[in-house]
Amino acid sequence: GIANSHLETAKNISGSVLPILSRLHTEIKNKSKELTHGAAKGAKNVTSARNETQKYIEALGQYTATFDSSGGKIDPPNDPYLLHRGIQYRLHKQVLEENNSRQDLIAVQDNFQSFEAHVIQTIQQSMSAFLQYVGGQAERQKAMYTDMTSTTQRIPQEFEWMNFLHRNGNLMIDPSSPKRSMSSITYPNQDHHSINPLIAGTLERKSRALGGITGYKTGYYAVTPSKYLHQFDDDDNFRKEPTAELSLYLPDCTIGAVSDCRFNVKGKDASKGKVGTAFQMNHEFSFKANTEEDAFKWWKVISEAAGAFNVTSEPPSAASSPVSSRNVSGPPAYVEKHAPPVQTQGLPLRQGPASAGPQSALGQEARSAGSGVAPQNAGPVESPMTAATGTGKGLPP
């Protein structure tokens, strides 16, 4: 009778229909866990990259203010130029993390669209099985179940997904929107005058100690408004951390004259910090540009950053190695220890032959010292003021 029909129907439904819905329920739970763990991991990476970028942006703001208040005197690791390059590196990494997270979320969205269709399809399949087992019921019950099933079959596969998009469209990512680029990102102090180098480009460098062994080595150099000469492997801010391999604080260095595309800078490497610099010795570095015009451009910027008192007229050494330079003999240096400096300012200049002897050379050197320009034909003769202070090699006998 009716009772047995209901019992048979209940048995068939429990054995064939309910397992389909149970599996669907398990799939929905697993999908929820997958979304929670996958999206959370990408969000953590983006948050970490943004915090790292923000830390360097705040450091740039702090040390650009220090640069303005201290007149440009700042430690090498805190040079706004280096901090700016560090921000570029971390912004590049942040954009990569954001774009990767964006791609993951877009993939999750597309996957969920197909998953919603699968949910609707499974429900339709279960309802078809349900209709088959209750077909023996009374016509009234059959009509009722048929109506329920026909209503279910009319549900489009995109019904739930489209309603979800309509309700939460402001939270979804538009796949057609463009990706982020660094050119559209702005941050405080990115246009500060202390981050732009006074001059930058490639030079060849040879150390006085190892020049005979290694020769000249090409590198990327920049003179910053903080009066540092920094050396890098290249000008790439994205491939690796832009850390200076050599930093010379130019006001503490001695700058030689330009000779055939070459000029010398003598000083200490300040990239090791205050403690490391205190125990270092002065080294003389020989730089070579591509052309003599480029060499004069670099020499002019470096000389202005170093100051007039740190610029000498001594040309770079032509020796190929320290061994050969020790074998070259010359006249002994003469230093006038007790003689007072020669008074050259305010005295009338006598017109005479160009080869009038040491007095004409001294007059020419004194006039050059007053104007800040080294004489062109003075040779190795130095001014008496330079000899008295011990910064030069003295006058030849």
Side-chain angles (χ1 to χ4, degrees), residues 25 29 71 153 156-157 182 190 199 236 260 269 277 358 383:
H25 182 253
K29 288 170 58 177
Q153 297 292 343
Q157 295 184 358
M182 293 182 59
Q190 70 175 5
I199 187 172
D236 190 353
D260 191 19
D269 183 7
T277 305
S383 65

Side-chain angles (χ1 to χ4, degrees), residues 67-238:
F67 175 89
D68 292 333
S69 62
S70 64
K73 179 63 176 178
I74 199 169
D75 294 334
N78 301 325
D79 191 343
Y81 174 79
L82 298 181
L83 294 176
H84 177 255
R85 293 190 66 175
I87 290 175
Q88 296 293 312
Y89 169 76
R90 283 159 182 82
L91 267 180
H92 176 71
K93 185 178 180 181
Q94 173 187 329
V95 169
L96 290 179
E97 291 292 345
E98 290 175 348
N99 289 334
N100 290 338
S101 177
R102 176 180 181 277
Q103 290 299 119
D104 293 341
L105 291 178
I106 291 176
V108 169
Q109 291 177 190
D110 296 338
N111 190 13
F112 266 75
Q113 182 177 4
S114 61
F115 182 73
E116 289 292 345
H118 169 69
V119 171
I120 299 300
Q121 184 179 6
T122 304
I123 293 176
Q124 292 174 350
Q125 179 183 357
S126 63
M127 291 304 297
S128 297
F130 180 76
L131 175 62
Q132 178 181 358
Y133 291 122
V134 299
Q137 295 290 332
E139 290 296 327
R140 186 179 55 190
Q141 293 178 336
K142 181 179 180 181
M144 181 185 63
Y145 294 137
T146 303
D147 183 63
M148 292 173 57
T149 303
S150 61
T151 301
T152 304
Q153 297 292 343
R154 288 195 297 269
I155 300 177
Q157 295 184 358
E158 302 84 6
F159 176 78
E160 181 62 27
W161 178 251
M162 296 304 297
N163 288 335
F164 176 78
L165 287 180
H166 180 73
R167 295 191 305 268
N168 305 282
N170 59 328
L171 303 178
M172 308 301 290
I173 297 177
D174 185 5
S176 61
S177 61
K179 296 182 179 180
R180 292 197 70 187
S181 64
M182 293 182 59
S183 60
S184 61
I185 299 176
T186 59
Y187 51 88
N189 298 304
Q190 70 175 5
D191 296 324
H192 194 271
H193 62 90
S194 64
I195 67 175
N196 297 316
L198 303 177
I199 187 172
T202 58
L203 287 174
E204 298 182 29
R205 179 178 69 83
K206 179 175 70 173
S207 175
R208 175 62 62 91
L210 301 177
I213 301 176
T214 60
Y216 282 96
K217 179 181 178 181
T218 302
Y220 184 80
Y221 294 84
V223 178
T224 68
S226 302
K227 300 181 180 180
Y228 283 101
L229 173 61
H230 297 295
Q231 173 191 339
F232 305 90
D233 284 338
D234 49 44
D235 60 343
D236 190 353
N237 293 334
F238 308 134

